[in-house]
Structure formats: C-alpha cells, structure tokens
Amino acid sequence: MASVLEERREPAVAPSLSARSRRRSELTGPDRALGAALTVAGLIPTLALAFLAYQMVKEAYPAIIFNGWHFFTSKTFTIGNLYAPIQHKRGYAAPHGASYGVLPLLVGTLLSSVFALILAVPVSVAGAILLVEKLPQRIQGTLGIFLELLAGIPSVVFGLWGVYTFGPLLSRTVYKWVDSLGIPWLSGHTGAGEGLATASVVLAVMIIPIIASITRELVRSVPTVAKEGAVALGLTPSETVRYVTIPYVRTGIIAAAVLGWARALGETIAVLIISGNALNIYPHSIFAPFSTMAATIAAFLDSALTDPTGMAVHALAQVGLVLLAVTILTNFGGRLLTRRFADQALPVGRGV
Amino acid sequence: MSEQTTSAVTESQARRPEVTTVGPPVPAEMENPVFVVENLDFYYGSHQALRGVNMKIGRNEITALIGPSGCGKTTFLRCLNRLNDLIAGTRVRGRIDFAGKPIYDPSLAAIELRRRIGMVFQKPNPFPKSIYDNIAIAPKVNGMKVNMDDLVEECLTRAALWDEVKGKLKASAFSLSGGQQQRLCIARAIAVKPEVILMDEPASALDPLATIRIEDLMSELKKDYTIVVVTHNMQQAARVSDRTAFFNVDDSQGVRTGVLVEMGTTHQIFTSPTDQRTDDYITGRFG
C-alpha cells in the first residue's frame, strides 16, 4: 500500500527514456518467459510453412528443370517405361516415355472443389440460419452435435460410402434426370456414379460441416438489438435475415468458404476412391471420370518410388508444389475479399 | 464516506428537476388517447414483470416512462409494439388498445402493427448497409409508392442529419458516430410514416451534446408523432416530456414486480406528486 502511494507522488511528467527503461526492467521473470514463449509459438506456423515450401521446391527442382513448360502444357501424366533405356533432358534423366503433365489434374482439382463449394455454401448458410433462427434451443443443440460429428468422420469412410452407396444411387436417379435434360456438358454416360459429379457432391458433404458450423457461430453472434431493429420496422423474419443477418455474417461466410475450399482442394483419399481415377483426359461431361492433384500423388507414389532415375518422385513433388500454390492463392483471394467487405460489417454501436 | 453520502442526498433533494417542456401545457384529462392500457400483466416464464398497469397515452404528446432499474418500464414499452413476442416464454394478460383496436387480438398481425409504431433503441442499431439503404429498406419492403430519393432526404432532414451525411449517402452506416447513428435510426423509424415512435433510452449511450440534439429532435417530432420514451434520466423526462409515468418495483406481494405508481402531466409529477415513492424517486432519495 505504501509503495503505491509513493509512486503516485512522483511528478506527473511525460515518462523520460530512463523512466521507460526502468518500466521495462520491472518485467518479472514469468513475464519475460511468457513473452518468449508467445514469440516462439507465434513463429512456429510461419517457419513451418517456409520450411515446407523450401523442402517442396528442393524436392521438385529436378522435375522443374526437366519438365520446363511441358509440365503446364501436357495432358499426359505417366512415369514411363521403367525397363526401357533412360532418356536425358537438360542434364536430368528420366525413364523412357515419361511425361509429367499437370493440366488435367489441375483442372480436375479446381472443378471438383469449385462445384463442391457451389453446392455447399448455400446449403451451409441456409442450414445455419435455420438452425439458429427457427429451431428451439434443444433441437439446435442436438443438431449441432451431429454437425460436428459429421465434420469428424474420416474421409475414407466418405469415399467408400460415395463409391458403394451414394454414387450408384445418384447415378440411377438424379443423374438420369439431369442427363435427360440434354444440356451440353451436363449430359453423358452416368455409369456407376464414379466421376466428377459424385466427387463434387461427396466433397460438398465433407465441407458442409466446416462451413455450416462456422456460419452458425456467426449467425449466433449477430446482436439481438440489430435484429429487433428490423422487426420493429415491420420487417418479416425472412426480410430480417436478408437485411440484417446476412450482411452481418457475409465477411465471415467468405472466410468459412475459403476454409472449406482449402479442404476440398487437398482432399485425397475420398476423391481417389470416387473419381474414377481417369488420367490424361479432361472431363468431357459432369459425370465423367477425372482425377485431382492430391489423388494422383497418392495413387502414383508407390510406383514412383520404384523409378530408378527418381524423376517420378520429383515430378509428384512438383504436383504437390502446384497444389500448395493453389491453396495459398485461394486463401489470399479469400483474404482480399474479406477485407473488401469488412468495412461494411462493423459491430453495432461503433463509435458510441 | 458516510458523510459524503448524506450530503449528496441533501443536495439532490434540493435539486428537484425543473420542467422545461417545449409547447403548450397539456390538459390533465386527455381526449383522444392513442394507447389505452387496461390491467396489463406481463410474465417472463413464471416471473411476473408487470402487474395491473393502467395507462392512457396522448396523441402528439411525449410520454416519459421513468423509474428505477428493473421496474419494467422497458418491458412495458416493448409490449406496445409486441416486440416481446420475440422472447420465448413471455405472456401478456390484460388489454392494450391502439387506435381503438386491441393489439393482442390474435387476428391482428404484429408485423402490420409494427409498421405503424416505430421504435428507437438504447444502442444505435442501424442496418449493416449504406446510410441511404438504412432509410430506404423498410419503405421498399413495405411497398410504399414514393420517390425514394425524396423520402431519404426528407427523413434525414427531419432527423437533423441531412447536412452531415448528404455527401456520403452510399457510405456504410457504421462510419457515422454514435449520435449520428442514433439520429439515422430515428430517420429510419419515421421513413415508414408511423403514428407512434417508441424510444428506449435513446440517448443513454450518447455524449451530452448528442443527447441535447436527440431531445431537441423529439420536441420537433411531437408535432406529427406520438412519442413514448423510456428514460433513466429524470432531467431528460423533465426537459422533454408532456406526461410522465413513474414505474417502481413492488415487493408487497412477496415477489418483485413492476407496477405503475402514478402518472400525470410532467409538471404535476415533478412539482406535486401524489405518491411518496414518486417524490422520493424524483428528488433522488433512491433509484
């Protein structure tokens, strides 16, 4: 108590440099330890990403040189004939006939993930708003638990479900109907349901819990007083959602969608199982088999390791590098979008 | 410490708020009330928040609802536009007539009612939209056939905000200061041409200067609107209102329930209240 009073009696002038350094020296051991621990913890994600990127580039480097632009122009991805004479290009060796073209895989990755996003975002947002605004508290809680459980189901289970049950079912029903409409690219042989359409739907089911649970929290955080403002003006519940709830959560929904998109871009095993694993072709219809970058890496890694020149593994690393770049770019794009909308969604009562 | 408290009480006793309401004094008996409230009971679940409220609210008057925290004045205000309907487990008994019709009649649409009774909240709550849209949304969805640009200008002018925002109507409402946001909310409320404006402590989150502007605005608006205002600030009630209703917490029946102690012209309530509790409250002896 006495020391506090003494401190107060100090002249109230602006703290001089020496006073400031004295303040700094007042930091105790635990304070400093906490500061150091937080710095380290804060740096870990950045360092991990930098290290990962460095390792990927290093591993992919021979393939980058060997492939040149061919990597981005060729449709063909094959590790070549491992028993034939070895070919040499730009100082690197690769099996005869080896061709590493990423383009169909890049197209497949983007198409399936974007379709999944187009399906998942409206369902997630509508579901989250319904959950929070319309359902009684008790049902809300129960459904919320199921939503979170859905997010935790291993992707291989989704894959098996897609290939054995859901895909064939869709193929017999929805796909038949869509096909009968005769719209170009939306009609074609629907097969047993393996292909782009089923993969997109299953990816959507996988990312809905991510987007919906984030959106649910956002919708919950919309201030009651903001919604009451709309109701007091005689707006109906749906008008209130349109003019208050959605504008409030828009920025957050974009962020949630980017998170879901990243998941869909990188999903491997479920897509590998459902995609039909078609190589070297672009999907000629929405029902066509295809493949993605992540699925191809998983599918090829085993045989790539038997390549005596090692080029196949380098090429897969290069595919991985492209996937990493796409993921980072989508995150960046999402961030820019969020920032664009951010100034329109500040909390109520700012500047009071 | 105890000395200080005593002197504060003596001081505030001497400081009975001075009534400075703008306009001619209102008659003690009102002829054409907008609201007639009879035996209103209100429950949150099993908790009774209001008991036996009887009140008439006069046309083109400002009625102030005052009283200590928890006395049910905001609950009462929210009964008038059925906003309490939004809260699960609430229940109303008794009768409220608005323009001669019972508002809790099942055949009456609450949405229609709320279009005729505007509301301004304690915290400014503009839509997360542009200044222009904040005014235009409700008239648009209500299907009002008007020139929207003219209506926006008219409402902002009436809310004494036009000069400050006319150059940036497309800017976000959140770019405004708290006081400006509150005036925007008033402009938004009058855009749907209501008959009544309910105000729930409209200035309590604002600085003194912004408060004076809101109070001036209320006096200006009462020419065309009936205003019911909840306020914690007795000086505010004395400054702007024509009639004052004093609510208090009553625990004579074993539970704490809000009751209307007395209502009268603001002049009468602040100079010669009939109930001792009113006198105690307005002279600052409690609350």
Side-chain angles (χ1 to χ4, degrees), chain A residues 171-209:
Chain A
S171 179
R172 283 195 304 274
T173 54
V174 181
Y175 295 174
K176 277 260 146 55
W177 177 74
V178 174
D179 179 37
S180 71
L181 299 176
I183 304 162
W185 211 74
L186 292 185
S187 57
H189 183 55
T190 63
E194 287 179 33
L196 183 55
T198 308
S200 303
V201 173
V202 171
L203 279 176
V205 175
M206 291 173 72
I207 64 176
I208 280 171

Side-chain angles (χ1 to χ4, degrees), chain A residues 43-54:
Chain A
L43 281 176
I44 283 175
T46 319
L47 290 177
L49 184 64
F51 184 68
L52 184 76
Y54 168 73

Side-chain angles (χ1 to χ4, degrees), chain A residues 147-155 158 209 263:
Chain A
L147 199 64
E148 272 138 35
L149 276 178
L150 200 60
I153 292 177
S155 57
F158 274 113
R263 171 85 204 268

Side-chain angles (χ1 to χ4, degrees), chain B residues 35 57 63 65 77 80 196-199 226-230:
Chain B
F35 283 103
I57 290 168
T63 304
L65 312 179
L77 188 78
L80 298 179
V196 181
I197 303 175
L198 309 177
M199 297 186 170
T226 301
I227 295 176
V228 186
V229 56
V230 167

Side-chain angles (χ1 to χ4, degrees), chain B residues 206-224:
Chain B
L206 306 181
D207 63 69
L209 218 62
T211 303
I212 298 292
R213 298 204 68 161
I214 300 283
E215 289 177 5
D216 288 348
L217 186 55
M218 288 164 72
S219 303
E220 181 64 30
L221 290 172
K222 85 171 166 184
K223 290 176 199 142
D224 300 301

Side-chain angles (χ1 to χ4, degrees), chain B residues 234-254:
Chain B
M234 277 175 293
Q235 278 73 22
Q236 183 171 68
R239 279 196 299 263
V240 299
S241 73
D242 297 297
R243 285 180 211 274
T244 298
F246 171 61
F247 284 79
N248 199 7
V249 182
D250 178 275
D251 46 15
S252 60
Q253 294 183 14

Side-chain angles (χ1 to χ4, degrees), chain A residues 62-71 89-90 99-100 315 318:
Chain A
I64 295 172
I65 300 298
F66 178 83
N67 288 327
W69 284 111
H70 180 81
F71 186 68
K89 205 157 69 181
R90 300 190 195 99
S99 166
Y100 311 108
Q318 197 182 358

